[in-house]
Amino acid sequence: MSETPMLPSVGDEVMDGKSRAIVTDVRGGVVWLRLKSGGGTEWPAEDPRKLTVRRTRAEMIQAGEL
């Protein structure tokens, strides 16, 4: 049995290809991202199932980073 990849939630840190990003919104099933470094333009994830969740928002809060 294969494991279903975890879909990201708002505030999660993800990898979108080679870009480290933060999930800013999920609208109508579309996951929106912005660069982890902050600011800039948002873009829709081409395929949210291909995003790699590096850390969840809850993990970053627990680590005192948010």
Side-chain angles (χ1 to χ4, degrees), residues 22-45:
I22 297 291
V23 177
T24 60
D25 203 354
V26 180
R27 293 174 258 178
V30 177
V31 175
W32 287 84
L33 308 169
R34 71 164 169 76
L35 289 177
K36 168 86 165 100
S37 57
T41 306
E42 288 182 306
W43 71 91

Side-chain angles (χ1 to χ4, degrees), residues 2-66:
S2 66
E3 187 176 316
T4 302
M6 185 171 106
L7 292 178
S9 298
V10 172
D12 290 352
E13 178 184 335
V14 299
M15 289 299 293
D16 181 32
K18 293 185 179 185
S19 299
R20 189 179 292 188
I22 297 291
V23 177
T24 60
D25 203 354
V26 180
R27 293 174 258 178
V30 177
V31 175
W32 287 84
L33 308 169
R34 71 164 169 76
L35 289 177
K36 168 86 165 100
S37 57
T41 306
E42 288 182 306
W43 71 91
E46 204 170 294
D47 184 351
R49 295 170 296 176
K50 291 184 179 179
L51 295 172
T52 302
V53 177
R54 293 181 44 91
R55 296 182 304 163
T56 65
R57 181 175 188 274
E59 290 170 334
M60 290 185 281
I61 289 170
Q62 186 175 6
E65 297 176 23
L66 292 179

